[in-house]
Amino acid sequence: MTEHYYSPQPTVAHQLQTFQQKLRGREFSFVTDAGVFSKKGIDFGSRLLIETVEVAREAKVLDVGCGYGPIGLAIAAEVDKGTVTMIDINERAVELARENARRNGLTNVRIMQSDTLDKVAGESFHCILTNPPIRAGKAIVHRIFEQAFEALMSSGQLWVVIQKKQGAPSALAKLESLFSKVDKISKDKGYWIIRCIKS
């Protein structure tokens, strides 16, 4: 079977590289590796989500499918009175995210390996962010949406970035079946930023 970025334990040879990126007005340094999503730089969808999301400084945030950490760490720099939990099924991505938190001096983060939201079952959050693993299949993506709904506090928000040609309409329909308020906040280059509010 072909190995993907959502493999729990990538076996592809390491190819460590570093790059700098300005996110929400702050300079970040990231180390990436083979076997993780968007290893050569932050993908357009993730950058659009990072620049669009609105989150309170004291929020308890969850980043689902964190990869090497750009979304969760960019937000952790702003929620200086809150916390960001970052989860990914990919063991290599989790280690990279931990290293990137250290590189950028961010201590209000908790990073762990988890299949969808299983490791944070029973916890609740003000805000959940995800660039879902579309290639993992619709069942996995919909499971993330369902678990996110359960994990949000009342009035909590789920922010999703998804490409229109990679299933955005069906994702939107699934989200509308779960949440009472679902809005397309931004559309750019075929990517949708969707915000869902739990009533």
Side-chain angles (χ1 to χ4, degrees):
M1 181 176 145
T2 305
E3 188 170 275
H4 295 283
Y5 59 82
Y6 49 85
S7 299
Q9 295 176 309
T11 57
V12 63
H14 290 281
Q15 291 181 325
L16 289 166
Q17 53 188 309
T18 60
F19 68 91
Q20 314 294 314
Q21 180 76 53
K22 192 170 188 177
L23 301 169
R24 296 177 76 97
R26 172 178 166 150
E27 288 290 339
F28 288 86
S29 173
F30 294 103
V31 58
T32 71
D33 199 355
V36 301
F37 176 66
S38 196
K39 67 179 180 182
K40 293 182 179 178
I42 303 169
D43 66 292
F44 183 82
S46 291
R47 281 191 284 117
L48 185 62
L49 179 60
I50 290 165
E51 299 299 338
T52 305
V53 67
E54 300 164 8
V55 59
R57 286 178 63 189
E58 65 278 1
K60 187 179 178 186
V61 180
L62 176 65
D63 176 10
V64 181
C66 67
Y68 55 83
I71 297 172
L73 296 178
I75 299 307
E78 291 201 358
V79 297
D80 54 337
K81 294 183 178 179
T83 59
V84 178
T85 298
M86 300 163 59
I87 57 176
D88 200 294
I89 194 171
N90 184 321
E91 180 180 70
R92 188 175 292 184
V94 167
E95 288 305 315
L96 288 167
R98 287 175 179 154
E99 171 59 24
N100 288 326
R102 287 190 290 269
R103 291 171 74 91
N104 293 285
L106 295 164
T107 58
N108 60 334
V109 295
R110 176 179 56 144
I111 304 165
M112 54 190 171
Q113 189 174 13
S114 178
D115 185 359
T116 61
L117 279 69
D118 292 355
K119 280 280 178 68
V120 293
E123 296 188 42
S124 54
F125 301 89
H126 296 105
C127 181
I128 299 177
L129 314 171
T130 189
N131 182 350
I134 298 302
R135 280 193 268 169
K138 186 183 288 188
I140 295 293
V141 174
H142 285 190
R143 182 177 168 200
I144 289 171
F145 294 163
E146 290 163 359
Q147 290 180 324
F149 177 82
E150 293 300 324
L152 281 169
M153 300 178 190
S154 180
S155 300
Q157 298 184 359
L158 169 65
W159 290 74
V160 179
V161 60
I162 196 162
Q163 234 181 328
K164 184 178 181 182
K165 68 181 182 182
Q166 289 189 329
S170 67
L172 188 64
K174 177 64 176 179
L175 291 167
E176 287 174 337
S177 76
L178 295 166
F179 292 87
S180 56
K181 186 167 176 56
V182 178
D183 296 298
K184 282 183 274 185
I185 300 299
S186 178
K187 291 191 284 185
D188 196 356
K189 295 184 181 176
Y191 287 86
W192 293 2
I193 302 294
I194 303 170
R195 182 188 63 191
C196 313
I197 301 176
K198 183 175 180 178
S199 58

